Structures are given as C-alpha cells and as structure tokens.
C-alpha cells in the first residue's frame, strides 16, 4: 500500500507514519543535499516544493517521486535576497525597509518588473550598512486596460540583484497570514502581497475586488428570525421525540460492568478545537490506566484527523458525511437539541444511527462531551451502562431552552464532570436532590512538542477559534497601543473560523498589517507557543481555557481577561500571569506593555507558569478520572432515568 505523502503548514513533511521538519533537513554549513525517504515502488508520482528560511539560509525543498521511483527530498539554497522587515502603504506610496547581505555596495535601485514582459519601473533606494529603505509610487504600476498585472520587486545594489522577500522571521505562510491595503488609482486597485514563496509582489486589478466568500453564521450571535420564531416549536418537538425514544430504551438492570470499557461521544473527532484535544487526551490517559477506550465521533467530515489519534484508542464515525448526502440527511435532527451548537451538523440520519449505537452499549461507561450527547446518553444508553457527562462550557453560556433541559434531564446521569469550581457549585445547586454526582476534574494537558520558550523573541502568541467568544477583535484593538510603543513586536494569532475576514479587515483598517498575523490553524501548537514570549487570552467567556495551561507548560507568562470562567482559577495574578478586568481593552494593552517592557518579570512569571502547568499533567488527571470511573462502576444502579 502506498504511503501518504503530504506537506503540512508549509513546513512539516508527512510520509506514511513518519514526520520530518523540512527546515531541519538543510545541511549544516550550507550547500545542497538530496535524501531518499522511500525506496522505489513506494507510490504514485509526487512533485511539491516550498521555500523556507532555515538557520543555514533560505532553501527550496522539493519532494519528488517519479512513477514507481524512490521518494526523495532535495534541499537547495537560494540566491541571496533582501529581507523585508517592514512594508507600509500610505496613500498611493509603498514604503519598504529591511536588511541586505553584508558587503552590498554600489548604487541601489528598486526594480518593479511586470510579469510576462520586460516592462520595468525603477526608483532609487538608500542603503546604510546592511539596512535599506525605498519608496515606490504605486501609480507607476498602473497600465491602461482591463488585464490583471503582477509586478515582481527586486533590489539591485551595484551589480547584485536581490529579490524582495521575508523568510527569516519564523512565519512560513506570509501569503496567508498577511494582507496589505490596496491603493485605488482610477479604476484600478494596486495592492502589495506575498507570494506562496514569501516574496513581495504587487498586483494591479481593474474594477472592484471580487466579493468575499460567504461566512458561516456566527454561532454566538443573536439568533436569526427563523430561530426566534421556530425555536420554541422545534424544542417542543425535540422533547417529544426524545421522550418517545427514551420510552423504548428500557431501564437499567441491577448490574454494573467493571468500568473497563469506555466510550467517549464526540461531535467530530477529525476536527480541531479544545474539546477534541481534551477528549483525545482523556482517551489516552484511560488507555494507559488499562481500560479499553473507543471515541465515537457523531459525524465525520474530514479525511485526515487534525490531531493524531492516540495509540490504543479506537475511533469510529456514526455518520460519515464525506460523500453525497441522501435526502434524509438533509432533514433536521429531532434528537439533538435545537439550542445546541451541534444541531446544524446533525440530521435524521444522525439520529437513527446514534440511537442504535447508544442502545447497543450494554454495560461499560459512556462519556458525553456536549449537552445534546449528554442528554441522549442519559435517555438512550443500554442497560447497565454508566453515563457520565462532561461540560466544556460554563454554566451560564448555554441558550435558554437548552439550559432548562440541562437542569431537568441531567438528573438522569450517573455523574457530571465540570472544569471549574464555580461550575461545580452552580451545577450542584441546580441538580440538588437528584442522584447525579457533580465533580470538578480540569482538563489534562499532554506534553506538547517544541522546546520551552526562550522568552527573548519579540512575539506575542494567541490561539483559538476565530469567533466572537475568543475576543480576538478586542485583542487587535489592544494591540494598537502596543504597536505605537513597540513597532518591532509581532502578534501571531493561530486558529481558523468564520470571523477571519472581519479580523483581517480590522487589522488593515487599524494599520496593523505589519505586526498582526492571522497564522491559520496549526497541528503543532507546542512549536508555535515556543516561538513566543507572552501568551494572550482575550476570550469574552471560557469553559476552562486549556490553552492557558498549554502556554504555561511552555514557560509563557499569560495575560488574560478575568472572564467567566476558568482563567481566574488557573492564573494567580502577579505570580504566573496577569489578569485584567473582563473586556477592559485598555487594561489588557497595559498588561501586555508591562511584560513586553520587562524581560526579568516575563522570566519570573514564566518560571512560575511551568510549575503551575505541572498540576494539570495527564498522569495526575488520569488517576483522578480512573478513581471516578471505578467508583461509578462499583456503585448501585441509579434510579430509572428521567425521560
């Protein structure tokens, strides 16, 4: 069987079950190298290349395989370039500054050459030692007509030609992470941009820009009219359907399993996000404790999992949605609560298949990871099954109809696991008098890849889904003050989501496009964190904030809003991080400036953060979970589940 070959995030090469950091393949001391990764006959033809900055210089890495031949990777150094460190658009003028190789002497000029023909625009440049500056009137690149023009930029010093690019700042995907404003000149829009090889070019387009792709609805926004009008009938229909399904599920028998078989019900095991990471970490720790663990993914929409599946953990999909969908798959779910954010992912097909899976679970332990699946587990699990609910969001974050059903139907569960002490108190009060055991078990943080952060890079890191909850719009506003005081610092935001386009517009409008970068999602968060000196959490609310502990594990001091809930229970203000009043953008900016301007304080907080993170290690968390599940398995059957 042919090995899968894939370059991930323009840096990591995956060959079957092996993974290589391309930059690490550059030969020490420079020069070229060609490595054979698989012998002949390994699979279909491959021909992909990327350009990366490495400690040995800028290299082009080419991964290739002729039909039936060996798989090779060739690392070849590129010619010297001019490293752009700052690029600004002011009106119709492009200002560029950066570094040139040593011993660059002679008259200096910036050349803009139109791709596909010899037309060039030439302007003078200034070189002072190893620094250069230049400015280009973008109007000079306007050529009449409706064609799409692209101009490549190079710097010539004496007889030395240097392509303009940014390769050495640790951002391998400048083309995706950066957007510059366009100068509108007559009927043309002239806009600098980075190519896929991180070189600087300018595009000139006739007419209005293409419309941005439609964004999915904001799951945190005010419900649309259809939801407000039809929400109550939909919830009533859901409650009736769940009652009927529960009536057929039967009641538990007076037996319990030994708790060795565990199934974790997750929305999309192939997806990204804190809940997926936490569920996989829990599954891994339970396997290590000697249990048989299966992750039951309610849907599957991706070929490859975003996070690797842990060894020894089985993963299955209830509703594989990768292919063509039948008509019944377009009909809305009745058993998934309409106020749960999982509702749009599910359908009648999902209902039928998930019901069969839950009813077939005779004994063992079922752990749900979101409200709808917790409610279904309580109502539909087979005889002798222990049902445990996990709540990854805080007590006050659920929509009204869902919150009402949680208070009533969670009493049919054997246990409810929450992440914070505040949530434990609230849920214990709401479920008082019922049989459900409410316990606090914070998420575990497995060891991440990458070294401990050196705290000497001028980089602040943030990570999370690009949605309203994570508050990256507030973080960008706070960065305006940071940019004024420290223009040489960067903010790197990792993640993807429906607010990306809005955030990119905000960055451009605030003139922060040379400092704030939307890095996209990363499968290697540990390496991303290790490149920073401060971590920023700007969430409006949290369920726990596992990324805070992940950042702490890399020795990063954390600046966070004291939002409900989680950060305030993790961070000890002034010892391992800084907490500021929730939503106070000015205070957030002030806290960032405090740590940016004081390296000694950063290091003191970072050292304490590492110690704090050890409390959330997988071994300790696994022991607490194992003790809970063992106790539930030994306990007497709960009373009849409440339909």
């Amino acid at each position: 069987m042919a090995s899968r070959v894939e370059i991930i995030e323009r840096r990591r090469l995956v060959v079957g079950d092996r993974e290589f950091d391309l930059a690490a393949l550059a030969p020490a001391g420079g020069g070229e190298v060609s490595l054979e990764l698989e012998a002949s006959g390994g699979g279909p033809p491959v021909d992909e290349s990327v350009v990366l900055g490495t400690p040995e210089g800028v290299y082009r890495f080419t991964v290739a395989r002729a039909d039936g031949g060996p798989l090779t990777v060739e690392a070849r150094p590129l010619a010297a370039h001019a490293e752009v460190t700052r690029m600004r658009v002011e009106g119709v003028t492009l200002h560029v500054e950066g570094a040139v190789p040593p011993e660059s002497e002679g008259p200096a000029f910036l050349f803009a050459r139109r791709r596909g023909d010899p037309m060039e625009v030439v302007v003078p440049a200034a070189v002072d030692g190893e620094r250069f500056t230049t400015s280009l009137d973008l109007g000079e690149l306007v050529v009449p007509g409706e064609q799409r023009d692209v101009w490549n930029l190079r710097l010539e010093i004496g007889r030395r030609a240097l392509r303009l690019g940014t390769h050495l700042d640790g951002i391998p995907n400048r083309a995706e992470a950066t957007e510059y404003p366009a100068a509108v000149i007559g009927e043309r829009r002239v806009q600098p941009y980075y190519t896929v090889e991180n070189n600087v070019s300018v595009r000139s387009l006739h007419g209005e820009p293409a419309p941005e792709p439609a964004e999915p609805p904001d799951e945190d926004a005010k419900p649309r009219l259809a939801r407000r009008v039809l929400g109550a009938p939909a919830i009533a229909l859901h409650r009736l359907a769940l009652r009927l399904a529960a009536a057929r599920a039967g009641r538990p028998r007076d037996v319990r399993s030994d708790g060795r078989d565990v199934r974790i019900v997750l929305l999309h095991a192939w997806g990204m996000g804190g809940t997926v990471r936490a569920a996989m970490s829990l599954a891994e720790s339970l396997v290590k404790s000697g249990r048989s663990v299966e992750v039951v993914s309610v849907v599957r929409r991706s070929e490859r999992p975003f996070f690797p599946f842990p060894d020894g953990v089985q993963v299955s999909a209830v509703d594989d949605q990768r292919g063509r969908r039948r008509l019944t798959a377009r009909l809305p779910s009745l058993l998934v609560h309409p106020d749960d954010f999982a509702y749009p992912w599910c359908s009648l097909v999902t209902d039928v298949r998930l019901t069969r899976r839950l009813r077939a679970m005779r004994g063992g332990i079922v752990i749900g990871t979101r409200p709808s699946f917790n409610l279904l587990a309580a109502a539909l699990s087979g005889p002798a099954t222990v049902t445990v609910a996990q709540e990854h969001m805080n007590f006050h974050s659920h929509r009204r109809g869902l919150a009402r059903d949680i208070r009533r139907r969670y009493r049919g569960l054997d246990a409810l696991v929450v992440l914070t002490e505040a949530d434990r108190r609230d849920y214990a009060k709401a479920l008082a008098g019922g049989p459900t055991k409410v316990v606090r078990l914070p998420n575990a943080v497995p060891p991440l890849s990458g070294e401990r952060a050196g705290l000497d890079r001028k980089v602040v890191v943030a990570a999370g889904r690009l949605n309203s909850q994570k508050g990256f719009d507030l973080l960008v506003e706070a960065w305006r003050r940071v940019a004024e005081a420290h223009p040489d610092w960067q903010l790197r935001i990792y993640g993807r989501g429906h607010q990306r386009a809005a955030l990119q517009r905000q960055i451009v409008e605030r003139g922060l496009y040379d400092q704030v970068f939307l890095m996209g999602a990363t499968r290697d968060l540990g390496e991303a964190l290790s490149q920073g000196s401060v971590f920023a959490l700007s969430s409006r609310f949290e369920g726990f904030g596992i990324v805070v502990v992940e950042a702490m594990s890399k020795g990063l001091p954390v600046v966070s809003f004291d939002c409900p809930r989680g950060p305030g229970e993790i961070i000890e203000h002034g010892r391992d991080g800084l907490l500021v009043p929730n939503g106070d953008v000015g205070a957030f900016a002030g806290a960032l400036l405090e740590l940016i301007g004081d390296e000694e304080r950063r290091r003191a907080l970072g050292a304490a953060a590492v110690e704090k993170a050890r409390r959330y290690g997988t071994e300790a968390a696994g022991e607490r979970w194992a003790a809970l599940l063992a106790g539930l398995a030994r306990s007497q059957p709960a009373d009849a589940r409440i339909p």
Side-chain angles (χ1 to χ4, degrees):
M1 181 178 178
S3 297
R4 178 176 57 89
V5 178
E6 183 179 5
I7 297 177
I8 300 174
E9 297 169 18
R10 296 187 54 79
R11 190 175 187 92
R12 293 177 14 242
L13 172 63
V14 176
V15 181
D17 58 357
R18 295 179 295 163
E19 190 168 305
F20 305 87
D21 180 356
L22 284 173
L25 299 180
E32 299 183 15
V33 68
S34 182
L35 304 172
E36 184 175 301
L37 302 183
E38 277 190 341
S40 300
V46 177
D47 187 9
E48 293 189 59
S49 66
V50 295
V51 173
L52 287 175
T54 79
E56 309 303 329
V58 181
Y59 272 76
R60 181 186 301 279
F61 297 90
T62 302
V63 182
R65 175 167 54 202
D67 194 6
L71 178 71
T72 62
V73 57
E74 179 185 79
R76 177 175 296 177
L78 297 186
H81 73 288
E83 177 79 1
V84 175
T85 57
R86 187 168 176 80
M87 194 159 64
R88 308 289 299 173
V89 178
E90 296 179 0
V92 297
T93 303
L94 173 65
H95 301 283
V96 186
E97 58 185 80
V100 295
E103 302 178 358
S104 297
E105 299 177 351
F109 298 92
L110 176 69
F111 284 73
R113 181 167 186 167
R114 190 164 75 158
R115 193 177 295 174
D117 65 33
M119 183 181 294
E120 288 186 325
V121 173
V122 185
V123 297
V127 176
D128 183 6
E130 295 182 10
R131 305 294 304 174
F132 80 90
T133 58
T134 186
S135 297
L136 173 66
D137 182 352
L138 295 174
E140 296 290 329
L141 307 186
V142 173
V143 178
E146 298 186 2
Q147 74 282 355
R148 180 182 188 275
D149 291 334
V150 173
W151 301 77
N152 295 331
L153 304 186
R154 75 180 188 277
L155 193 67
E156 290 198 5
I157 307 174
R159 295 186 176 182
R160 195 174 196 181
L162 304 169
R163 184 73 164 94
L164 265 62
T166 304
H167 303 284
L168 305 177
D169 68 345
I171 301 177
N173 60 333
R174 276 273 185 165
E176 303 169 26
T178 310
E179 181 176 317
Y180 288 90
V184 179
I185 304 172
E187 295 184 345
R188 299 191 75 85
R189 296 173 57 85
V190 187
Q191 183 178 33
Y193 72 99
Y194 279 94
T195 70
V196 294
E197 294 189 346
N198 288 348
N199 291 321
V200 179
S201 293
V202 179
R203 63 169 65 94
S204 176
L205 304 176
H206 183 273
E208 293 296 319
E212 295 175 351
E215 297 177 357
D218 185 347
E219 65 181 23
D220 302 316
K222 183 178 180 181
R224 292 176 293 176
L225 179 62
R227 176 180 288 280
R228 297 201 300 272
V229 172
L230 302 178
I235 291 174
L237 185 60
H238 156 77
R239 289 171 177 163
L240 175 61
L242 188 61
R243 184 183 294 273
L244 293 174
R248 298 184 56 196
R251 297 180 180 275
R253 301 169 184 166
D254 287 339
V255 292
R256 279 287 193 257
S257 76
D258 59 6
R260 311 310 295 178
D261 296 328
V262 180
R263 299 171 183 87
I264 301 173
V265 183
L266 190 62
L267 176 61
H268 188 214
W270 282 261
M272 61 170 286
T275 299
V276 180
R277 289 206 312 274
M280 292 302 173
S281 177
L282 172 60
E284 184 175 22
S285 66
L286 293 177
V287 164
K288 290 179 179 178
S289 71
R291 286 171 169 77
S292 172
V293 181
E294 179 186 7
V295 173
V296 179
S297 183
V298 175
V299 301
R300 179 179 181 181
R301 292 185 172 182
S302 304
E303 291 293 331
R304 183 174 184 269
F306 190 85
F307 301 111
F309 295 151
D311 292 339
V313 176
Q314 297 180 352
V315 182
S316 63
V318 173
D319 184 9
D320 191 334
Q321 300 179 356
R322 289 175 293 170
R324 294 183 60 184
R325 313 297 319 280
R326 295 179 298 173
L327 177 61
T328 50
R330 301 177 185 176
L331 299 176
S333 169
L334 295 177
L335 296 183
V336 174
H337 201 290
D339 274 356
D340 192 309
F341 295 134
Y343 179 72
W345 293 61
C346 302
S347 67
L348 281 179
V349 170
T350 313
D351 287 353
V352 172
R353 294 177 179 174
L354 184 56
T355 298
R356 289 172 181 167
R357 288 298 301 273
L358 289 173
R359 286 177 176 169
M361 294 177 185
R362 308 267 175 182
I365 296 173
V366 175
I367 302 174
T369 56
R370 61 182 311 116
S372 276
F373 306 154
N374 298 334
L375 296 173
L376 284 168
L380 304 179
S381 293
T385 301
V386 177
T387 54
V388 181
Q390 268 191 306
E391 272 292 347
H392 288 274
M393 294 309 300
N394 74 65
F395 181 79
H396 298 289
S397 64
H398 299 301
R399 290 169 173 162
R400 183 179 303 174
L402 181 58
R404 186 179 301 119
D405 285 349
I406 283 173
R407 287 175 170 83
R408 180 185 179 196
R409 299 180 185 275
Y410 270 19
R411 296 170 182 269
L413 294 160
D414 292 292
L416 169 62
V417 175
V418 297
L419 303 176
T420 66
E421 179 58 26
D423 272 339
R424 190 201 64 76
R425 291 194 300 268
D426 284 343
Y427 277 107
K429 181 178 179 180
L431 303 178
T436 305
K437 182 177 183 179
V438 182
V439 296
R440 172 182 174 266
L441 291 178
N443 282 330
V445 177
L448 299 178
S449 62
E451 301 294 327
R452 178 170 166 174
L455 303 188
D456 54 356
R457 297 174 184 258
K458 296 180 179 181
V459 175
V460 174
V461 179
R465 194 175 295 278
L466 305 185
N467 61 12
S468 176
Q469 177 205 338
K470 298 301 181 181
F472 292 125
D473 56 322
L474 305 178
L475 179 56
V476 171
E477 287 301 315
W479 196 261
R480 296 176 71 179
R481 280 185 55 192
V482 177
E484 293 174 1
H486 298 279
D488 53 343
W489 276 69
Q490 295 180 351
L491 171 61
R492 300 179 184 177
I493 301 174
Y494 290 87
R496 65 187 180 202
H498 64 270
Q499 285 198 341
R500 179 185 174 89
L503 286 169
Q504 193 67 75
R505 285 194 301 271
Q506 182 186 9
I507 291 166
V508 171
E509 290 168 0
R510 303 298 188 268
L512 300 173
Y513 45 82
D514 234 14
Q515 286 186 290
V516 181
F517 304 100
L518 299 181
M519 303 292 291
T522 178
R523 288 181 166 89
D524 198 354
L525 182 60
E527 180 64 28
L529 292 170
S530 70
Q531 302 302 308
S533 292
V534 179
F535 184 81
L537 186 85
S538 53
S539 298
R540 291 178 166 88
F541 63 92
E542 278 289 347
F544 173 64
I546 189 172
V547 72
V548 171
V549 183
E550 290 173 323
M552 286 180 160
S553 74
K554 288 299 175 185
L556 291 179
V558 178
V559 173
S560 173
F561 284 131
D562 191 9
C563 66
R565 296 175 162 161
E569 292 192 18
I570 302 171
I571 300 168
E572 186 176 343
H573 178 70
R575 185 177 185 278
D576 46 36
L578 299 179
L579 288 167
V580 301
N582 194 28
D584 189 334
V585 172
F588 202 99
L592 288 173
L593 287 168
E594 178 181 343
L595 295 187
I596 286 173
D598 190 341
E599 182 177 347
E600 184 177 349
R601 183 156 171 75
R602 286 203 307 271
R603 294 191 179 281
L605 295 179
V610 172
E611 295 302 316
K612 176 64 70 64
R614 291 196 176 102
R615 302 181 189 178
Y616 299 89
T618 53
E619 184 175 348
E623 291 174 356
R624 291 192 291 267
W625 266 97
L628 170 66
L629 299 184
L632 293 172
R634 288 194 301 267
S635 66
Q636 293 298 314
D639 293 336
R641 297 186 176 92
I642 300 174

